[in-house]
Amino acid sequence: MITKAFPNPQKVPSQRNFELAWRRFNTDCDNTIGTKKDYRFAYNFGVNTIRRYKTDYGWLYSPPSYLVSHKEPKQLRTKEWLNQAWAVNDFYHTFFDSLLQSSALSPSEIYRNVILTFLFHSAQCQDKVLIAFHQALSKNTLILRHWHYHVFCDLELTSKGLNTNCYVEGEKTHIHHAYLHPITLGLLRQWEMCNRKEWEPPSDKHLCSFLKKGLAKGKNIPTSLRQFCKTAIYTTEHQEHVELSQALVECQIGRVKTYGLPLDDLARLSLSSVNSLSNFEFYASSAKVTGNKSSNSNVNTISNKDLFTKLKQCFSKTKVNNNKLSCQVVSRRLQNLVDNGPYTIGESLLLKWFIQKSQVCSPSSLMQYHCSLSRRWLYMAEDCDFSYLDSELLEQMYTSIISKIEKLGSRKYFIARLKDIHQFGSLSNHLPNISSQFFEQDISQHHTRAGFIDKALFNALLSHIDCLIDLNDDEKCCLKSLCIISYRCGLRLSELQKLQLCNIEVSDIGWIDIRNNRFGSNKTASSLRKVPLFPLLLEHEKTIIESHLSQQRLLHPAPNSLVFSLGLNPYQLFDASDVSRFVGETLKALSGLNHLVFHHLRHSCCSQLQLTFELKPRVRRTTNFMPLYEYTAF
């Protein structure tokens, strides 16, 4: 539609022609697109295209601003929810009175009591958590663990819509730590002692009716397990000596998703020992950690490494000009690469596909596509004559490549890219059509790298930096400052990389402005923020940061010079991969945990802020509920 309205962008239109063409584009959008989401996408694509024409062809007109719509968040405590919550609260008191008066109970009644106290007293008010607990308890696979004075169990959640947070036998899994109230533990002991040989557990589908059987009264009692659990939190938050904020209420019922720490990371909070290191070089492998091999380790080598390298350069910044890459620059580089041919059909298809994707994808996304797809595709194209391919042979070649990828997540990501390039090739008549079911796959779960870096581990990281032999004192101070600001203020490595002196206020607070600049853009709209610096630091950390900032302002006083340069040109970005590699490998070696990376410095900041905001002195004393929210990694 935007091409129809502006068919010849090289020729700059007059003001009147521009307005008429834009009006035609708006009319086409109104007549063609139905949903608000699609309309917003099409409209903003048109705005982005006009902005690109303004840069590339010198258009004199600015398009309208982007179309932004804000949907008001759905309220939890509606009248309907409150009526159901009051009914569930009455149900709870009826249940608890019967629990106190009962003496001889059947296995079915004891089992129901365990589940209900898990819901109301242990505050596990998510239906997916309740079902996982029910399955583990009925199959006799429930294992209780201890952390300090708290007892919890690990529940594997398989529901859709949840990210994974750890690995179990090499597979990404979502493990939920459910802390148990003393009443729940007492009833669990009673359950273990009862004779249940002839007892049959209720099915997941009938669990809600099983829990309410004989006790539920009133028309407002929820009929679904999900709503029953969501309204049970009202009873929990009104128990004596319990104080829950609205944020924690929505977390416990699953409206706000959090992902707990892996079990081995949680153990470090009890025993924060660190290993000794023997390697003291920044620009070398700083630690020897045994871990699972990457899925890329079994990628076949290609003979056309020159094209692979040139493709990578299309998506990378140059050392001479470190300004952020634009889609237009990437597209021009790819087109120049095509013009420097000739190429085989497979190579040409890959290049043209990247040119098409550069119109809608960011350079960072294109680099990820390149890392996943290009080497495997070029290897397949080396011994393949696309002119004589039939659908059966092509499916065999695709299957052969896919089978060599070990990790499930990497395989699914590659299949999605392969499906995209195949559709592009079939539409351009370079590839034969294959079975529509070939690319069908389940929606893969995203993985949240849950992890917490404790104080002992963080201090060991700073001490190790002091011992590096291939960095001078200024570079060591710079590296420590990077780690401290990420750990205490929650900045991403990409935000630290592009931070300029003008973005840090010269004051006792030292406000940090996270802004877009010529070195890079923020990850999301919510990344645009102000962060206090000095109030979040310990005294010795404040000394390190002040020393580094003073040195930078003395040597490079220009406001647009970078805060972190690691001894390089103050107007040139440092290599983020070097910092990420060093910090990640050092954390792994010091702790023995193979999942820790630089980004866990930011995760740890979020976890500590959560404790600061939520754990008031009175709540800390309520030990039965405190572990529910402690040490959670977002």
Side-chain angles (χ1 to χ4, degrees):
M1 288 187 289
I2 195 68
T3 304
K4 176 184 173 183
F6 300 96
N8 188 14
Q10 292 85 355
K11 184 179 179 181
V12 180
S14 64
Q15 177 75 33
R16 177 175 173 76
N17 289 339
F18 172 78
E19 293 175 355
L20 290 173
W22 184 259
R23 195 175 302 167
R24 285 196 298 271
F25 171 70
N26 281 341
T27 303
D28 286 343
C29 289
D30 293 336
N31 296 333
T32 306
I33 302 172
T35 65
K36 293 181 180 179
K37 179 181 178 181
D38 291 340
Y39 184 90
R40 182 172 64 250
F41 176 81
Y43 185 91
N44 290 342
F45 182 84
V47 172
N48 190 57
T49 302
I50 299 302
R51 289 176 180 265
R52 191 171 74 247
Y53 290 166
K54 186 177 179 181
T55 302
D56 293 348
Y57 307 117
W59 283 29
L60 305 175
Y61 322 109
S62 295
S65 61
Y66 290 104
L67 183 62
V68 180
S69 60
H70 295 286
K71 185 178 180 181
E72 185 177 351
K74 188 176 181 181
Q75 185 180 353
L76 173 65
R77 299 177 190 273
T78 60
K79 183 179 179 180
E80 179 185 7
W81 183 88
L82 284 172
N83 286 332
Q84 292 180 341
W86 292 334
V88 171
N89 189 54
D90 293 338
F91 166 86
Y92 162 77
H93 287 292
T94 303
F95 150 71
F96 198 71
D97 290 342
S98 66
L99 181 66
L100 295 175
Q101 296 170 4
S102 300
S103 53
L105 297 175
S106 66
S108 180
E109 291 173 319
I110 296 174
Y111 187 84
R112 183 180 61 177
N113 292 342
V114 173
I115 299 292
L116 287 175
T117 57
F118 180 76
L119 174 66
F120 289 109
H121 294 105
S122 298
Q124 302 299 326
C125 299
Q126 295 184 56
D127 59 320
K128 55 181 71 71
V129 174
L130 194 73
I131 289 176
F133 181 76
H134 157 63
Q135 292 173 345
L137 189 61
S138 61
K139 296 175 183 177
N140 202 27
T141 59
L142 187 71
I143 299 176
L144 299 185
R145 303 182 186 277
H146 295 261
W147 183 73
H148 285 282
Y149 299 105
H150 311 297
V151 181
F152 66 95
C153 59
D154 299 330
L155 301 175
E156 181 177 346
L157 307 186
T158 58
S159 306
K160 294 182 179 179
L162 290 174
N163 295 4
T164 63
N165 60 346
C166 64
Y167 289 88
V168 176
E169 297 180 353
E171 293 294 331
K172 293 179 180 178
T173 310
H174 180 96
I175 299 296
H176 177 86
H177 301 309
Y179 289 84
L180 304 180
H181 191 277
I183 293 179
T184 307
L185 291 173
L187 289 170
L188 274 174
R189 181 169 182 171
Q190 190 178 24
W191 167 250
E192 286 295 320
M193 296 170 62
C194 75
N195 183 7
R196 51 183 187 274
K197 290 183 179 180
E198 299 180 358
W199 178 79
E200 289 292 333
S203 64
D204 297 348
K205 184 177 180 181
H206 298 100
L207 182 60
C208 185
S209 58
F210 169 77
L211 295 177
K212 297 186 297 182
K213 185 177 180 180
L215 294 174
K217 298 178 181 179
K219 62 179 181 179
N220 290 321
I221 288 286
T223 56
S224 70
L225 182 64
R226 182 179 183 183
Q227 194 63 21
F228 186 78
C229 292
K230 284 176 63 176
T231 51
I233 195 67
Y234 176 86
T235 300
T236 302
E237 65 180 346
H238 283 85
Q239 291 186 18
E240 190 176 3
H241 303 306
V242 175
E243 182 178 336
L244 302 180
S245 69
Q246 181 63 23
L248 295 180
V249 166
E250 300 205 10
C251 171
Q252 282 307 108
I253 64 176
R255 289 187 71 183
V256 176
K257 295 182 176 61
T258 60
Y259 302 94
L261 297 178
L263 195 61
D264 50 1
D265 203 334
L266 189 66
R268 279 199 55 83
L269 300 176
S270 298
L271 184 62
S272 301
S273 60
V274 293
N275 302 324
S276 58
L277 303 183
S278 59
N279 191 301
F280 299 98
E281 296 181 6
F282 175 76
Y283 292 105
S285 181
S286 60
K288 307 297 182 184
V289 181
T290 303
N292 294 329
K293 292 184 178 180
S294 170
S295 60
N296 290 328
S297 61
N298 58 1
V299 175
N300 295 299
T301 58
I302 54 175
S303 59
N304 194 352
K305 293 182 179 179
D306 185 48
L307 177 58
F308 181 84
T309 304
K310 289 179 179 178
L311 256 177
K312 182 178 180 180
Q313 292 172 351
C314 291
F315 313 127
S316 306
K317 298 176 183 179
T318 62
K319 292 185 177 180
V320 177
N321 182 5
N322 262 287
N323 292 351
K324 60 184 177 183
L325 276 179
S326 65
C327 295
Q328 295 78 19
V329 171
V330 173
S331 182
R332 280 199 298 269
R333 290 178 180 178
L334 290 168
Q335 190 60 55
N336 292 336
L337 198 56
V338 171
D339 296 339
N340 293 332
Y343 299 102
T344 64
I345 295 178
E347 294 168 348
S348 178
L349 186 62
L350 180 66
L351 289 171
K352 290 178 180 178
W353 178 75
F354 270 121
I355 291 175
Q356 184 210 45
K357 301 302 288 185
S358 67
Q359 305 300 318
V360 292
C361 297
S362 65
S364 59
S365 296
L366 294 175
M367 177 63 87
Q368 291 178 357
Y369 295 171
H370 169 70
C371 294
S372 174
L373 177 71
S374 295
R375 188 183 299 275
R376 297 183 175 100
W377 181 269
L378 291 173
Y379 173 78
M380 184 185 73
E382 281 183 351
D383 301 321
C384 173
D385 189 346
F386 285 85
S387 305
Y388 299 97
L389 270 181
D390 58 18
S391 57
E392 183 178 354
L393 180 58
L394 187 59
E395 285 190 16
Q396 291 177 3
M397 295 172 64
Y398 285 169
T399 303
S400 175
I401 295 177
I402 293 170
S403 64
K404 294 179 180 179
I405 306 176
E406 296 175 357
K407 289 188 177 180
L408 180 62
S410 300
R411 188 188 310 142
K412 290 183 176 181
Y413 186 84
F414 172 74
I415 290 174
R417 307 287 77 74
L418 185 62
K419 178 181 179 181
D420 203 347
I421 193 173
H422 174 81
Q423 290 176 341
F424 176 79
S426 61
L427 288 174
S428 59
N429 298 320
H430 290 300
L431 297 176
N433 292 323
I434 62 175
S435 171
S436 58
Q437 287 79 29
F438 183 83
F439 291 111
E440 286 186 359
Q441 54 178 309
D442 296 329
I443 299 175
S444 61
Q445 284 182 296
H446 294 286
H447 185 66
T448 296
R449 284 183 164 180
F452 184 84
I453 299 173
D454 54 89
K455 295 177 183 178
L457 181 57
F458 180 68
N459 290 333
L461 172 64
L462 298 185
S463 299
H464 182 66
I465 293 175
D466 277 329
C467 300
L468 297 178
I469 59 176
D470 55 347
L471 295 183
N472 59 40
D473 290 341
D474 290 342
E475 290 171 332
K476 292 176 185 177
C477 187
C478 176
L479 184 57
K480 287 193 293 184
S481 299
L482 279 168
C483 298
I484 290 171
I485 294 180
S486 181
Y487 187 68
R488 297 300 183 187
C489 305
L491 269 67
R492 299 179 177 90
L493 183 57
S494 59
E495 294 168 346
L496 292 164
Q497 188 184 31
K498 66 182 179 65
L499 198 64
Q500 296 174 295
L501 285 176
C502 60
N503 298 135
I504 300 182
E505 181 182 81
V506 183
S507 66
D508 293 338
I509 296 179
W511 287 100
I512 302 176
D513 289 327
I514 312 299
R515 298 290 183 266
N516 296 331
N517 56 33
R518 68 185 183 91
F519 294 107
S521 301
N522 292 333
K523 181 179 180 181
T524 62
S526 58
S527 300
L528 187 70
R529 64 196 190 278
K530 291 184 70 173
V531 182
L533 173 58
F534 296 119
L536 300 177
L537 306 179
L538 301 180
E539 285 302 319
H540 72 279
E541 296 170 343
K542 185 177 179 181
T543 302
I544 294 172
I545 299 296
E546 287 178 336
S547 174
H548 174 70
L549 291 177
S550 299
Q551 183 77 354
Q552 286 294 102
R553 290 182 176 125
L554 177 64
L555 298 178
H556 315 290
N560 61 344
S561 59
L562 291 167
V563 175
F564 303 105
S565 57
L566 281 175
L568 302 175
N569 185 332
Y571 303 100
Q572 181 176 326
L573 296 174
F574 66 84
D575 192 338
S577 61
D578 281 340
V579 175
S580 178
R581 174 196 53 76
F582 167 79
V583 173
E585 290 182 351
T586 302
L587 290 174
K588 290 180 177 71
L590 289 170
S591 64
L593 304 179
N594 290 339
H595 64 274
L596 293 181
V597 293
F598 183 95
H599 198 63
H600 284 132
L601 294 172
R602 167 178 160 83
H603 278 211
S604 303
C605 173
C606 295
S607 297
Q608 292 177 93
L609 284 175
Q610 184 186 21
L611 295 180
T612 302
F613 292 145
E614 299 296 346
L615 294 184
K616 300 176 183 179
R618 183 167 50 175
V619 181
R620 282 198 189 96
R621 290 196 297 270
T622 314
T623 57
N624 295 330
F625 289 90
M626 182 269 288
L628 295 172
Y629 324 110
E630 194 165 9
Y631 306 118
T632 302
F634 291 93

